[in-house]
Amino acid sequence: MKRKSQNIINKLYSISAIVILLLLWQGLCSFQIVPEFMLPSPMSVGKAFITDFPLLIDHSMTSLMEAFIGLLLGVLIGFITAIFMDHFEILYRILYPLIVLTQTIPTVAIAPLLVLWLGYEMAPKVVLIIIVTFFPIAVGVLNGFRSADSDTINLLRSMGASSFQIFYHVKFPNALGSFFSSLRISVSYSIVGAVIAEWLGGTNGLGVYMTRVRKSFAFDKMFAVIFLISFLSLLLMALVNFVQKKCMPWEQLKKEEE
């Protein structure tokens, strides 16, 4: 009961901070401290969001589809890569530096090349999302595998357990927490990656919408789509939290006991 009360209080603090920030923003615009053409007020952004809501939903469906496909493939590739790097030390030494190297290249620099090589359809967007979501999953899951209790592993080996049994009963459960932590990062990256890729070309998507309204200097609509992207990212992260609670009920029991 005490923990639930603390969670409610923490949420109230967060909501209060957001409300105060919006009020300050509205005050800056209402008293013309900042010109409207430079910073549209929250009211203007809200009106733009309501006006273009059907159009925003249509564009968001395309971005979400790209994000879902790219995220699914990125998670799958990252998880499999982590398994092989954990099992084969030589692969770890070869692949890990290359995986880290891929993250030193800005996505904005990669995107034009992908469009040049793969065209303006969905393919370059999906590939870019795979690149940005692959790294957190691969590194997080690998750390989860390698942080498994060595005494437990040695005990199972002494009892004749196979590599698969050790993986299934020890390493996989131990890596679940790291996996979901990495997945929360990846789902937010997937939306951002889709939008960045759509800036460079396409016929539909939130990135395409942002490019069009930016060229028409409709900054109220720009802020509306930024808020929508943030909302979608938070919604996907909340979905990951929900799935984690279902897949890891023992973690919830530990929190309740504390």
Side-chain angles (χ1 to χ4, degrees):
M1 186 68 182
K2 185 178 180 181
R3 186 176 183 84
K4 289 182 179 179
S5 300
Q6 188 61 45
N7 288 336
I8 293 171
I9 292 171
N10 291 337
K11 288 179 181 179
L12 287 175
Y13 281 142
S14 302
I15 294 171
S16 300
I18 294 171
V19 171
I20 291 170
L21 182 63
L22 290 174
L23 289 174
L24 289 173
W25 179 5
Q26 184 64 45
L28 288 172
C29 298
S30 298
F31 293 104
Q32 298 183 346
I33 298 173
V34 180
E36 179 76 16
F37 69 89
M38 292 180 61
L39 181 67
S41 67
M43 294 289 289
S44 300
V45 174
K47 290 177 182 176
F49 183 84
I50 294 170
T51 302
D52 275 16
F53 183 75
L55 191 59
L56 285 169
I57 293 299
D58 180 55
H59 283 292
S60 64
M61 289 298 103
T62 301
S63 297
L64 284 172
M65 178 61 69
E66 294 165 353
F68 176 76
I69 296 172
L71 178 65
L72 183 64
L73 293 174
V75 169
L76 184 63
I77 296 170
F79 201 92
I80 293 173
T81 303
I83 292 173
F84 279 101
M85 284 196 297
D86 177 65
H87 193 70
F88 301 102
E89 185 65 24
I90 186 65
L91 277 180
Y92 170 76
R93 294 178 182 179
I94 294 172
L95 293 178
Y96 194 83
L98 295 176
I99 292 172
V100 174
L101 183 63
T102 62
Q103 301 307 299
T104 63
I105 305 171
T107 53
V108 178
I110 300 174
L113 295 174
L114 294 176
V115 171
L116 178 65
W117 295 333
L118 302 174
Y120 289 95
E121 298 302 321
M122 187 178 288
K125 284 90 167 174
V126 171
V127 172
L128 184 65
I129 295 165
I130 291 172
I131 292 171
V132 298
T133 58
F134 163 81
F135 179 77
I137 297 296
V139 173
V141 172
L142 179 62
N143 289 338
F145 289 155
R146 299 213 157 189
S147 64
D149 185 60
S150 57
D151 292 334
T152 305
I153 293 173
N154 291 331
L155 176 62
L156 287 176
R157 280 176 180 162
S158 68
M159 297 172 66
S162 64
S163 298
F164 176 77
Q165 288 173 323
I166 292 172
F167 171 80
Y168 183 77
H169 292 288
V170 181
K171 290 191 173 184
F172 179 72
N174 190 73
L176 277 178
S178 300
F179 168 73
F180 282 109
S181 296
S182 302
L183 187 59
R184 276 190 286 272
I185 298 171
S186 292
V187 293
S188 60
Y189 281 4
S190 65
I191 298 293
V192 174
V195 172
I196 291 173
E198 288 165 354
W199 283 348
L200 301 172
T203 57
N204 208 7
L206 292 175
V208 175
Y209 176 88
M210 289 183 74
T211 303
R212 291 172 181 171
V213 297
R214 177 179 58 82
K215 289 180 179 179
S216 62
F217 298 98
F219 294 119
D220 52 346
K221 295 180 180 181
M222 276 283 291
F223 275 93
V225 73
I226 289 170
F227 286 157
L228 179 59
I229 292 169
S230 299
F231 173 76
L232 290 174
S233 297
L234 291 172
L235 188 63
L236 290 174
M237 291 173 70
L239 180 61
V240 172
N241 288 335
F242 175 77
V243 174
Q244 182 178 6
K245 289 179 180 179
K246 295 298 181 183
C247 294
M248 302 177 64
W250 59 88
E251 289 292 331
Q252 191 64 26
L253 291 174
K254 284 182 182 178
K255 290 180 180 179
E256 289 176 358
E257 289 174 0
E258 293 173 358

